[in-house]
Amino acid sequence: MGKSLREHYGKAKYHHLQYFNAIVKHGSIAQASKIIHITPQTLSAQLSTFEDQLGYLLFERKGKRLVLNEMGRLTYSYS
């Protein structure tokens, strides 16, 4: 992985963490986007940006549901 999680996490913007936490709480981009009042497309793009910044994926995609993977669970524990 190279850099530590704290180094990656420190680069995250606050809104990325808010969006990430909403997706975790609601289990899908569609449901989270309704709660935070942005389009699902925007939320999906923001999640992709966040994952790119971190350098790893946070979720396993299971149909329309997103399930935290190991790195997602670790990131969530820091957020």
Side-chain angles (χ1 to χ4, degrees):
M1 185 166 77
K3 294 183 179 181
S4 74
L5 182 62
R6 286 182 190 258
E7 289 175 295
H8 284 293
Y9 187 73
K11 294 179 182 178
K13 294 182 179 174
Y14 182 71
H15 69 272
H16 287 139
L17 295 174
Q18 288 180 308
Y19 297 162
F20 170 67
N21 285 320
I23 294 167
V24 172
K25 181 177 179 180
H26 299 286
S28 74
I29 288 175
Q31 289 301 313
S33 68
K34 290 177 185 177
I35 301 302
I36 56 179
H37 308 290
I38 63 174
T39 68
Q41 295 83 356
T42 299
L43 184 54
S44 180
Q46 290 296 312
L47 174 60
S48 292
T49 298
F50 187 40
E51 290 176 324
D52 288 346
Q53 286 176 345
L54 294 174
Y56 48 81
L57 297 176
L58 298 167
F59 294 95
E60 291 180 31
R61 277 74 174 166
K62 298 194 177 205
K64 292 185 178 185
R65 303 267 322 150
L66 297 176
V67 178
L68 286 173
N69 62 23
E70 183 178 344
M71 292 307 294
R73 287 188 296 275
L74 186 59
T75 300
Y76 187 67
S77 73
Y78 279 91
S79 67

